[in-house]
Amino acid sequence: MTGAVGNAEWTGVALRDVLIQAGIREDAASVLLIGLDVDAPEEGFRRVLPVAKAMHPDTLLAYAMNGDVLPPDHGFPLRAIVPGWVGSSSIKWLGRIQVSMEPVWTHNNSTSYVLIGDDFPAEGDRLGPAVTAQAIKSALVLSRLAELSAGPHRIYGYAQSPHGPIEKVGWSMDGGTTWRGAAAVEPQFQYSWARFRIDLELRPGLHTIMTRATDAAGNTQPDSGPFNAKGYLFN
């Protein structure tokens, strides 16, 4: 994984409660979230949620982060938090919510945040299926070309899965031929990253350390995955 990792505590109200108060109908199909960033494409960053995800009790309209007022960079005054789904689903600076009886297509679920490749056929004007749920993954707190001295080291990392709590993390230094178990550092909160620890003895030379997470539902990081041109869900 090459991107940054963050973990926060969010406070808000369930999106479903707002939709019920607004009178959402049983035949509704899509919930469109629109940001106040009018300079973005489509005059506000947009993401469509199917009604089932919008009505999940853990999908929030958040107004606080880590017990304080939501910072501007994180979406003040209000943002969506869609646990388990890719970050582009959690719209910042939320300004409008539109409910439709038909599926809605925007730039972000037909062109931008979509899977493009031989395993993901295009459908009409859509370049591929929209990216929704995250992938189970793990990462070490090391730079890609970290320089460590020979000898004993304690290395930390994080693992996360959208399907349930992390049950175990394995690590390998022989290309995946053999695996050893990492130690959990602290209990994992729901939807959060789980912190793990590896204790190892490094000999002089070049080493590649692989990690592999498994969640309580039995999902394990794969050795490889289907190619998509934008590299989404890389794990």
Side-chain angles (χ1 to χ4, degrees), residues 4-90:
V5 172
N7 219 43
E9 179 184 82
W10 305 98
T11 303
V13 299
L15 174 57
R16 64 174 292 170
D17 292 344
V18 174
L19 294 174
I20 290 171
Q21 286 290 323
I24 188 171
R25 290 169 31 176
E26 292 185 359
D27 57 348
S30 296
V31 176
L32 175 62
L33 308 177
I34 304 174
L36 293 170
D37 46 340
V38 295
D39 292 335
E42 302 179 300
E43 297 183 346
F45 195 90
R46 300 172 181 232
R47 190 61 198 248
V48 178
L49 300 180
V51 167
K53 188 63 175 177
M55 296 293 284
H56 192 284
D58 293 338
T59 300
L60 295 182
L61 299 179
Y63 50 79
M65 176 181 174
N66 295 331
D68 206 348
V69 175
L70 196 62
D73 285 353
H74 289 278
F76 178 86
L78 192 70
R79 73 170 294 171
I81 295 293
V82 186
W85 279 31
V86 296
S88 60
S89 307
S90 295

Side-chain angles (χ1 to χ4, degrees), residues 53-224:
K53 188 63 175 177
M55 296 293 284
H56 192 284
D58 293 338
T59 300
L60 295 182
L61 299 179
Y63 50 79
M65 176 181 174
N66 295 331
D68 206 348
V69 175
L70 196 62
D73 285 353
H74 289 278
F76 178 86
L78 192 70
R79 73 170 294 171
I81 295 293
V82 186
W85 279 31
V86 296
S88 60
S89 307
S90 295
I91 298 294
K92 298 178 180 180
W93 316 293
L94 186 64
R96 285 187 292 157
I97 300 173
Q98 295 181 356
V99 179
S100 171
M101 300 302 114
E102 300 290 337
V104 174
W105 302 106
T106 73
H107 174 77
N108 288 325
N109 71 335
S110 60
T111 304
S112 184
Y113 294 95
V114 298
L115 300 170
I116 302 172
D118 293 340
D119 293 281
F120 308 105
E123 301 178 17
D125 293 333
R126 288 176 283 156
L127 300 182
V131 182
T132 55
Q134 265 287 4
I136 181 173
K137 59 183 64 179
S138 59
L140 294 175
V141 186
L142 287 171
S143 61
R144 182 173 292 274
L145 298 177
E147 294 188 10
L148 303 175
S149 61
H153 286 275
R154 174 166 287 182
I155 299 173
Y156 291 91
Y158 294 88
Q160 200 270 342
S161 172
H163 310 296
I166 295 296
E167 189 169 77
K168 62 181 180 180
V169 177
W171 61 280
S172 173
M173 291 186 62
D174 57 9
T177 300
T178 58
W179 293 88
R180 286 174 278 186
V185 175
E186 60 224 351
Q188 181 189 12
F189 294 98
Q190 188 175 15
Y191 300 121
S192 75
W193 288 83
R195 194 176 181 214
F196 62 87
R197 183 187 74 234
I198 296 172
D199 293 300
L200 74 169
E201 183 85 19
L202 288 178
R203 298 177 179 177
L206 297 176
H207 303 280
T208 298
I209 306 173
M210 299 172 61
T211 63
R212 183 175 66 183
T214 300
D215 65 26
N219 300 289
T220 297
Q221 280 183 262
D223 293 330
S224 62

